[in-house]
Amino acid sequence: MKTLRTSLAIGLIVASAVPVRAASAPPPGAASCSGCHAPTSQAIPNIYGRDADATRSTLLAFRNGSMPATVMTRIAKGFSEDEIGSIAAWLATQK
Amino acid sequence: MTRKNHSSRREFLRAAAAATASLALASPSLAQSPARVVVIGGGFGGASCARALRQLDPSLDVTLVTADRQYVACPFSNEVIAGDRAIEAQQFTYEKIATGGIKLVTQMAQTIDPQARTVGLADGSTLRYDRLVLSPGIDLRFDALPGYDEAAALRMPHAWKAGEQTLLLRRQLEAMDDGGVIAIVVPANPFRCPPGPYERASLIAHYLKTRKPRSKLIILDSKDAFSKQRLFQAAWQELYPGLIEWVALSQGGKVTSVDPATNMLVTDFATHQVQVANVIPPQRAGRIAEIAGVTDKSGWCPINPVSLESTQVPNIHVIGDACIAGAMPKSAFSANAQAKTCASAIVTLLSGATPTSPKLINTCYSLVAPDYGISIAGVYQPRNGLFADIEGAGGTSPLDAPRAVRAREAIYARSWFETIGAEVFG
């Protein structure tokens, strides 16, 4: 939890200064998300600027299999709980 | 370098400017000019990296060197071959990239001097760099398969770089009689887009099934296993029974020579005369990588996976199909993910710090039919100098998924292409 709160704080400080995505260095794994996810995408949900807790719990549900998905169940298993927390916090700060 | 002098003492200032320039040459940090990053290659890797660099540090001096004004994307080009998609949907330009403050140079890079840190261009001019990113993609090896050279490719298209070759294969397929045989010749690993030949076979089979049902497709493979194999083979049985024959290496699938004049493909066991021969030859990193000295004996480029920097030449990073990325496949998704990791590492290195270990994701969709998608995904981190799979993560779509899941993955595949196209070029 401490990691999550710290990265949240860092994320919030950096985000306000920046007009475009990704000005704060993304935590491990997070830079890859934009290959599929975008604010404009229709079929694949936008994950940017969403509430960090919501993103975190969704990713954790993909990871433990309680929420079905096509590909995200396979991807979420590649990240620890801490890493998922950092990614969710960073995504929340992005446009 | 672009400082303007408004004084009358021109000679003095010119001398001073020259002194500053030579100081800058010796040590970029002394002159307060922004760090210079040159990116060579305008595909999914290079264009992504140029953009990511400027997003991470808008003060960077970023130059993107591309061979052409237009980029023709490979993902989804198999749909063009099968007649389900216009080539225009594959075409991208760099105009919007230029509006982001990135300098565009449309020329072939011909020489690289790693000591002086310069890139020599076709018109004789040079670009200086503090960090150089090479994203040259692949070169087709026209010396690897007897009979298959550049001239042969006009008769037996590879269609493994999208554009005119894609359209050539499309035309040959259209001109083929019902009852004709088309062969796809597949090289040994590693090569660009591991599931690509099998997606191509699937979509061509879809075309044949509806338009030329007496025809046949044969895959002559230099391997005994391939990406998403069980998913492809199950789908072929379901959708195209009897239409696709896969001949593995151990069954004599390896093509040892070709004769373009007679459309003949020769293996150790048989000779195949076919109406359409799609020959995908062995590959290596794009030529500029060899010129830079970053290729090894394999023809590909070893890198440090934390920074994507060459293990052979300092200050040169190699991303995308050209690099040796271990478990990461040579895909547009990988190139894009590596580009963003590389950009972060370069910004960190230029600040004097050390990049931390990254994690990267790859997802590759393949279409078995226009509404039937399958995928393979992976999560990777540096281990022993390569990108290694994180165990327990990744893998393919389930074998027993209902058609609704296949349909959804086909929609996701199209959505991925829209999104990545916009992120990189839009």
Side-chain angles (χ1 to χ4, degrees), chain B residues 70-378:
Chain B
Q70 187 187 61
Y71 179 68
V72 188
C74 279
F76 277 89
S77 67
N78 285 330
E79 278 211 323
V80 178
I81 292 166
D84 294 324
R85 187 178 179 90
I87 190 80
E88 286 75 18
Q90 303 301 113
Q91 295 167 342
F92 297 94
T93 64
Y94 303 105
E95 284 151 26
K96 297 224 173 101
I97 291 179
T99 63
I102 292 163
K103 295 173 189 162
L104 279 184
V105 171
T106 312
Q107 279 190 65
M108 288 297 286
Q110 291 187 328
T111 59
I112 287 169
D113 182 337
Q115 266 73 47
R117 294 192 200 169
T118 54
V119 176
L121 300 171
D123 69 358
S125 63
T126 57
L127 296 169
R128 311 190 55 76
Y129 66 82
D130 296 307
R131 292 270 163 183
L132 175 64
V133 179
L134 299 182
S135 188
I138 57 160
D139 266 6
L140 300 161
R141 291 188 52 192
F142 287 117
D143 60 348
L145 178 59
Y148 198 72
D149 55 17
E150 279 187 270
L154 299 176
R155 182 77 183 87
M156 300 174 144
H158 51 79
W160 218 239
K161 290 186 173 192
E164 192 43 49
Q165 279 276 311
T166 312
L167 296 172
L168 178 59
L169 182 55
R170 168 73 197 142
R171 287 195 298 272
Q172 290 190 354
L173 199 57
E174 277 177 323
M176 189 179 83
D177 296 330
D178 187 9
V181 175
I182 168 169
I184 301 179
V185 177
V186 187
N189 290 322
F191 61 96
R192 161 179 283 179
C193 191
Y198 314 97
E199 178 189 73
R200 176 173 292 178
S202 306
L203 294 176
I204 289 175
H206 182 262
Y207 166 77
L208 296 176
K209 184 185 176 185
T210 47
R211 306 289 293 277
K212 295 170 183 175
R214 295 191 296 121
S215 305
K216 224 190 129 180
L217 190 151
I218 180 168
I219 304 170
L220 297 170
D221 209 325
S222 293
K223 306 187 302 302
D224 275 325
F226 60 88
S227 177
K228 303 180 225 184
Q229 181 172 347
R230 292 175 71 198
L231 286 163
F232 273 115
Q233 289 181 317
W236 292 343
Q237 200 142 26
E238 182 189 345
L239 302 176
Y240 317 117
L243 212 159
I244 298 174
E245 182 191 355
W246 177 61
V247 186
L249 170 68
S250 57
Q251 300 164 315
K254 183 182 178 175
V255 171
T256 51
S257 69
V258 304
D259 179 17
T262 55
N263 248 16
M264 198 93 83
L265 304 166
V266 180
T267 69
D268 284 340
F269 296 85
T271 298
H272 302 265
Q273 178 142 36
V274 298
Q275 278 64 56
V276 176
N278 169 210
V279 178
I280 304 165
Q283 297 147 33
R284 64 181 159 222
R287 173 104 179 97
I288 194 69
E290 196 184 342
I291 291 169
V294 295
T295 53
D296 70 9
K297 274 186 222 154
S298 72
W300 305 98
C301 309
I303 50 154
N304 170 355
V306 173
S307 59
L308 285 299
E309 187 170 358
S310 167
T311 57
Q312 298 183 178
V313 183
N315 306 308
I316 301 183
H317 302 249
V318 188
I319 58 174
D321 291 352
C323 75
I324 298 173
M328 279 193 100
K330 298 187 187 304
S331 70
F333 196 116
S334 289
N336 173 260
Q338 290 162 7
K340 290 179 275 195
T341 301
C342 179
S344 283
I346 285 176
V347 169
T348 304
L349 286 163
L350 287 171
S351 77
T354 306
T356 53
S357 188
K359 275 194 174 182
L360 290 85
I361 300 168
N362 175 67
T363 304
C364 285
Y365 289 101
S366 300
L367 295 176
V368 186
D371 62 348
Y372 190 122
I374 55 177
S375 63
I376 185 165

Side-chain angles (χ1 to χ4, degrees), chain A residues 1-93:
Chain A
M1 277 327 276
K2 197 179 170 212
T3 322
L4 173 59
R5 234 174 279 131
T6 313
S7 36
L8 251 176
I10 293 168
L12 285 172
I13 292 162
V14 181
S16 58
V18 182
V20 284
R21 182 186 307 162
S24 65
S32 294
C33 304
S34 58
C36 287
H37 296 273
T40 52
S41 59
Q42 300 291 314
I44 298 175
N46 176 32
I47 55 173
Y48 297 95
R50 284 183 74 209
D51 176 66
D53 283 340
T55 303
R56 182 175 168 276
S57 55
T58 305
L59 283 169
L60 290 174
F62 286 146
R63 184 166 168 263
N64 69 24
S66 62
M67 189 182 292
T70 52
V71 75
M72 280 311 301
T73 43
R74 292 175 254 157
I75 290 171
K77 289 186 179 73
F79 296 91
S80 70
E81 211 170 318
D82 275 356
E83 287 172 329
I84 283 175
S86 300
I87 291 169
W90 183 81
L91 291 173
T93 66

Side-chain angles (χ1 to χ4, degrees), chain B residues 2-17:
Chain B
T2 55
R3 275 184 211 113
K4 290 196 173 107
N5 300 317
H6 297 288
S7 162
S8 57
R9 294 176 293 163
R10 288 214 176 95
E11 286 307 315
F12 171 76
L13 284 169
R14 202 169 292 150

